[in-house]
PDB file of all heavy atoms in Angstrom:
ATOM      1  N   LYS A 278      -9.254 -32.074 -16.480  1.00 97.00           N
ATOM      2  CA  LYS A 278      -9.018 -33.508 -16.319  1.00 97.00           C
ATOM      3  C   LYS A 278      -9.306 -33.953 -14.892  1.00 97.00           C
ATOM      4  O   LYS A 278      -9.716 -35.088 -14.654  1.00 97.00           O
ATOM      5  CB  LYS A 278      -7.571 -33.856 -16.683  1.00 97.00           C
ATOM      6  CG  LYS A 278      -7.243 -33.696 -18.158  1.00 97.00           C
ATOM      7  CD  LYS A 278      -5.771 -33.986 -18.420  1.00 97.00           C
ATOM      8  CE  LYS A 278      -5.402 -33.742 -19.879  1.00 97.00           C
ATOM      9  NZ  LYS A 278      -3.949 -33.935 -20.114  1.00 97.00           N
ATOM     10  N   ARG A 279      -9.121 -33.030 -13.944  1.00 97.00           N
ATOM     11  CA  ARG A 279      -9.375 -33.319 -12.539  1.00 97.00           C
ATOM     12  C   ARG A 279     -10.816 -32.992 -12.144  1.00 97.00           C
ATOM     13  O   ARG A 279     -11.133 -32.883 -10.962  1.00 97.00           O
ATOM     14  CB  ARG A 279      -8.384 -32.552 -11.660  1.00 97.00           C
ATOM     15  CG  ARG A 279      -6.943 -33.056 -11.792  1.00 97.00           C
ATOM     16  CD  ARG A 279      -5.944 -32.133 -11.100  1.00 97.00           C
ATOM     17  NE  ARG A 279      -4.588 -32.652 -11.178  1.00 97.00           N
ATOM     18  CZ  ARG A 279      -3.861 -33.077 -10.144  1.00 97.00           C
ATOM     19  NH1 ARG A 279      -4.395 -33.051  -8.908  1.00 97.00           N
ATOM     20  NH2 ARG A 279      -2.633 -33.519 -10.294  1.00 97.00           N
ATOM     21  N   GLU A 280     -11.678 -32.811 -13.110  1.00 96.00           N
ATOM     22  CA  GLU A 280     -13.127 -32.613 -12.939  1.00 96.00           C
ATOM     23  C   GLU A 280     -13.485 -31.323 -12.218  1.00 96.00           C
ATOM     24  O   GLU A 280     -14.434 -31.258 -11.450  1.00 96.00           O
ATOM     25  CB  GLU A 280     -13.760 -33.816 -12.228  1.00 96.00           C
ATOM     26  CG  GLU A 280     -13.635 -35.119 -13.002  1.00 96.00           C
ATOM     27  CD  GLU A 280     -14.433 -36.245 -12.391  1.00 96.00           C
ATOM     28  OE1 GLU A 280     -14.266 -36.499 -11.164  1.00 96.00           O
ATOM     29  OE2 GLU A 280     -15.230 -36.863 -13.103  1.00 96.00           O
ATOM     30  N   ILE A 281     -12.720 -30.261 -12.491  1.00 98.00           N
ATOM     31  CA  ILE A 281     -13.062 -28.941 -11.969  1.00 98.00           C
ATOM     32  C   ILE A 281     -13.972 -28.254 -12.983  1.00 98.00           C
ATOM     33  O   ILE A 281     -13.564 -27.989 -14.116  1.00 98.00           O
ATOM     34  CB  ILE A 281     -11.793 -28.092 -11.730  1.00 98.00           C
ATOM     35  CG1 ILE A 281     -10.872 -28.784 -10.714  1.00 98.00           C
ATOM     36  CG2 ILE A 281     -12.173 -26.690 -11.250  1.00 98.00           C
ATOM     37  CD1 ILE A 281     -11.482 -28.981  -9.340  1.00 98.00           C
ATOM     38  N   ASN A 282     -15.198 -27.978 -12.601  1.00 97.00           N
ATOM     39  CA  ASN A 282     -16.162 -27.314 -13.479  1.00 97.00           C
ATOM     40  C   ASN A 282     -16.035 -25.797 -13.411  1.00 97.00           C
ATOM     41  O   ASN A 282     -15.865 -25.135 -14.426  1.00 97.00           O
ATOM     42  CB  ASN A 282     -17.589 -27.707 -13.107  1.00 97.00           C
ATOM     43  CG  ASN A 282     -17.882 -29.166 -13.354  1.00 97.00           C
ATOM     44  OD1 ASN A 282     -17.275 -29.798 -14.211  1.00 97.00           O
ATOM     45  ND2 ASN A 282     -18.820 -29.711 -12.593  1.00 97.00           N
ATOM     46  N   GLU A 283     -16.166 -25.244 -12.217  1.00 98.00           N
ATOM     47  CA  GLU A 283     -16.080 -23.795 -12.010  1.00 98.00           C
ATOM     48  C   GLU A 283     -14.857 -23.483 -11.161  1.00 98.00           C
ATOM     49  O   GLU A 283     -14.691 -24.038 -10.068  1.00 98.00           O
ATOM     50  CB  GLU A 283     -17.332 -23.260 -11.310  1.00 98.00           C
ATOM     51  CG  GLU A 283     -18.594 -23.324 -12.152  1.00 98.00           C
ATOM     52  CD  GLU A 283     -19.788 -22.683 -11.460  1.00 98.00           C
ATOM     53  OE1 GLU A 283     -19.598 -21.848 -10.546  1.00 98.00           O
ATOM     54  OE2 GLU A 283     -20.925 -23.022 -11.830  1.00 98.00           O
ATOM     55  N   LEU A 284     -14.016 -22.594 -11.677  1.00 98.00           N
ATOM     56  CA  LEU A 284     -12.828 -22.164 -10.946  1.00 98.00           C
ATOM     57  C   LEU A 284     -13.036 -20.719 -10.513  1.00 98.00           C
ATOM     58  O   LEU A 284     -13.276 -19.835 -11.340  1.00 98.00           O
ATOM     59  CB  LEU A 284     -11.590 -22.275 -11.837  1.00 98.00           C
ATOM     60  CG  LEU A 284     -10.269 -21.848 -11.196  1.00 98.00           C
ATOM     61  CD1 LEU A 284      -9.901 -22.768 -10.037  1.00 98.00           C
ATOM     62  CD2 LEU A 284      -9.149 -21.820 -12.226  1.00 98.00           C
ATOM     63  N   HIS A 285     -12.946 -20.483  -9.219  1.00 98.00           N
ATOM     64  CA  HIS A 285     -13.158 -19.170  -8.624  1.00 98.00           C
ATOM     65  C   HIS A 285     -11.788 -18.579  -8.287  1.00 98.00           C
ATOM     66  O   HIS A 285     -11.038 -19.156  -7.491  1.00 98.00           O
ATOM     67  CB  HIS A 285     -14.012 -19.331  -7.355  1.00 98.00           C
ATOM     68  CG  HIS A 285     -14.348 -18.064  -6.651  1.00 98.00           C
ATOM     69  ND1 HIS A 285     -15.487 -17.341  -6.930  1.00 98.00           N
ATOM     70  CD2 HIS A 285     -13.718 -17.387  -5.658  1.00 98.00           C
ATOM     71  CE1 HIS A 285     -15.540 -16.285  -6.131  1.00 98.00           C
ATOM     72  NE2 HIS A 285     -14.473 -16.290  -5.356  1.00 98.00           N
ATOM     73  N   VAL A 286     -11.453 -17.460  -8.893  1.00 98.00           N
ATOM     74  CA  VAL A 286     -10.142 -16.840  -8.692  1.00 98.00           C
ATOM     75  C   VAL A 286     -10.258 -15.679  -7.717  1.00 98.00           C
ATOM     76  O   VAL A 286     -11.080 -14.784  -7.911  1.00 98.00           O
ATOM     77  CB  VAL A 286      -9.555 -16.340 -10.031  1.00 98.00           C
ATOM     78  CG1 VAL A 286      -8.217 -15.632  -9.802  1.00 98.00           C
ATOM     79  CG2 VAL A 286      -9.396 -17.492 -11.010  1.00 98.00           C
TER      80      VAL A 286
END
Side-chain angles (χ1 to χ4, degrees):
K278 292 177 184 176
R279 292 170 177 247
E280 298 188 308
I281 300 298
N282 294 333
E283 292 185 21
L284 180 65
H285 182 91
V286 177

